[in-house]
Amino acid sequence: MMRFDAGSLRTTIVNMGRLEGAERIAATAAVGAAGLELHAAIKDNISLRDHSLDDLAAMGHPYARRHGAIQIHRTGGGGTLANPENRVHTQSGALLGALRHGPTGTTTPSYRVWLDPAAAPHAVHVVYGTKVMLPRDVLWDTARGPATQKRMMRSIVRVFGKVLRTQGGLRFAGAARPGSRLGA
């Protein structure tokens, strides 16, 4: 049995038989595929272009803390966000340009998706909020989104089928929230 994490997914591979070195290859490839799915979903969720800054001002600043809750994009459903109101409107493109991803290079197969505050200093304010703006943790909420998790799980299963060509069993369960992290 082997465990590894991919975003908010904790995956356990069981019944792997005698595939000693193949487990690591398969786990690394599967985590990478799931990480790419997470990156794509986050990229979609920080690329909204449906409202300009002027539009948001005319709407009474729907992300303002004075409202007590975000007043925009409050639709449910099985989308890529656990909290659909936490999507981010692209204005300058700096936040989108600050989105980074890649394997961590640790001894355990892992993949990281993050916002680089050196490339977009306002990323910290978007994710954690300010005294006047509510937080929008688009990273964590995207990882928790039902559609994102489904895409990640499918990519894991697809990769294992290609890499292992075996009857390995997969079991998926949610993980405890580790907290979002910006930067290195």
Side-chain angles (χ1 to χ4, degrees):
M1 184 169 6
M2 173 176 48
R3 292 182 179 271
F4 62 94
D5 290 323
S8 65
L9 300 176
R10 180 171 304 272
T11 306
T12 304
I13 306 160
V14 293
N15 300 325
M16 296 294 288
R18 299 174 300 183
L19 302 172
E20 294 171 3
E23 291 100 344
R24 175 164 294 286
I25 294 167
T28 300
V31 169
L36 288 173
E37 291 290 347
L38 177 59
H39 173 261
I42 291 172
K43 186 175 179 181
D44 288 345
N45 287 328
I46 63 173
S47 300
L48 273 180
R49 295 193 177 274
D50 59 342
H51 297 97
S52 67
L53 288 176
D54 290 338
D55 294 338
L56 294 171
M59 295 169 73
H61 301 286
Y63 300 109
R65 198 172 283 278
R66 71 175 177 267
H67 298 302
I70 294 172
Q71 305 295 308
I72 192 170
H73 302 295
R74 300 182 74 180
T75 59
T80 57
L81 277 166
N83 299 308
E85 66 273 13
N86 284 349
R87 296 183 77 190
V88 178
H89 294 87
T90 294
Q91 302 300 327
S92 69
L95 192 65
L96 188 57
L99 185 62
R100 307 281 191 260
H101 66 104
T104 62
T106 63
T107 58
T108 303
S110 58
Y111 198 92
R112 184 175 172 209
V113 181
W114 75 100
L115 292 169
D116 181 359
H122 68 289
V124 173
H125 303 303
V126 171
V127 173
Y128 294 111
T130 66
K131 67 180 182 177
V132 296
M133 182 176 69
L134 290 164
R136 286 169 286 154
D137 192 346
V138 68
L139 302 171
W140 176 251
D141 284 336
T142 301
R144 284 187 29 226
T148 303
Q149 289 195 358
K150 187 174 185 177
R151 285 169 49 185
M152 291 171 71
M153 286 184 227
R154 282 185 176 165
S155 69
I156 289 170
V157 171
R158 183 180 63 248
V159 168
F160 275 118
K162 288 179 184 176
V163 173
L164 296 179
R165 304 259 188 247
T166 186
Q167 293 291 323
L170 296 173
R171 182 175 48 217
F172 295 96
R177 180 181 177 158
S180 292
R181 294 174 47 167
L182 295 174

